[in-house]
Amino acid sequence: RMIIFFPLHAQPELSTSLLGEKYEDQILVLEKLNSFAKDNWIVVAKENIYQTSYQRDDFFFKRLKGLKNVFFVERSESTQLIVNDSDLVATICGTVGYEALTKSKKCLVFGNAWYKNFHGVLKIDNNTLDAEIDNFISENFEKDKFLEDLNTLLSCCDEGVVTDDD
């Protein structure tokens, strides 16, 4: 079976709360991925290393237990190794999606990540059908198209400022 990797965001987190829209509730992402997975995929979830029990109450884990295709790994496991071993990465708006793209891995984005319009990314919303996800996955990842999208974005950015302050 194929592997979808979803590293959970810390909560509360400003970016997830604002950019995650309805998917600020991360169990909704896991439920959507579980539904899509059927018998073809497994979803590997990893808790954020900084997460406490806040916003991970008993109801979160009760809902999680009902997801037959979702498996948790220890938070000490290497995120980079899991990304390398995954076929697809899912995130709300985390940099893990961008990191996956740099490794020619596709990404499902559930929020408003800055790279959501790049080649290799499918933005998931309430109306996204499983068939759309299947079609997206079956398309080839073209690194040149990804780099073109990245360069287009970077061409709109200022150079920035670097100081010698210690």
Side-chain angles (χ1 to χ4, degrees):
R1 296 198 306 179
M2 307 274 275
I3 298 171
I4 302 171
F5 177 45
F6 179 68
L8 278 77
H9 296 258
Q11 284 186 296
E13 181 181 63
L14 183 61
S15 62
T16 307
S17 296
L18 292 175
L19 300 176
E21 299 170 331
K22 95 169 216 161
Y23 292 107
E24 172 191 7
D25 182 359
Q26 296 180 70
I27 196 73
L28 295 174
V29 174
L30 290 170
E31 288 171 343
K32 174 74 174 170
L33 293 172
N34 180 71
S35 173
F36 166 74
K38 298 179 181 53
D39 291 329
N40 303 322
W41 293 81
I42 61 168
V43 179
V44 174
K46 180 183 172 196
E47 182 60 274
N48 188 288
I49 196 159
Y50 300 110
Q51 185 65 42
T52 65
S53 60
Y54 185 72
Q55 289 195 298
R56 297 285 197 271
D57 59 12
D58 291 341
F59 188 58
F60 177 91
F61 290 102
K62 187 175 189 177
R63 288 169 67 187
L64 186 62
K65 283 183 182 180
L67 305 178
K68 72 173 189 151
N69 297 309
V70 176
F71 301 90
F72 257 81
V73 296
E74 293 293 324
R75 55 174 90 198
S76 60
E77 291 290 326
S78 166
T79 297
Q80 292 307 313
L81 290 178
I82 300 170
V83 168
N84 290 344
D85 291 339
S86 299
D87 299 291
L88 185 67
V89 171
T91 186
I92 296 172
C93 57
T95 56
V96 70
Y98 173 73
E99 292 165 18
L101 293 168
T102 64
K103 296 177 180 200
S104 299
K105 302 219 178 215
K106 292 183 180 179
C107 178
L108 302 177
V109 169
F110 287 80
N112 286 308
W114 60 271
Y115 53 87
K116 70 181 179 188
N117 295 317
F118 283 10
H119 174 77
V121 177
L122 179 63
K123 170 77 167 72
I124 305 294
D125 62 29
N126 293 343
N127 302 315
T128 305
L129 303 173
D130 288 354
E132 291 175 77
I133 299 171
D134 282 331
N135 289 338
F136 167 75
I137 292 169
S138 69
E139 296 170 358
N140 288 331
F141 181 90
E142 297 179 42
K143 186 103 178 198
D144 290 343
K145 285 186 178 181
F146 160 69
L147 292 173
E148 184 179 315
D149 290 342
L150 176 60
N151 286 327
T152 299
L153 177 68
L154 291 175
S155 72
C156 300
C157 297
D158 287 333
E159 288 185 33
V161 177
V162 177
T163 66
D164 292 333
D165 294 345
D166 289 336

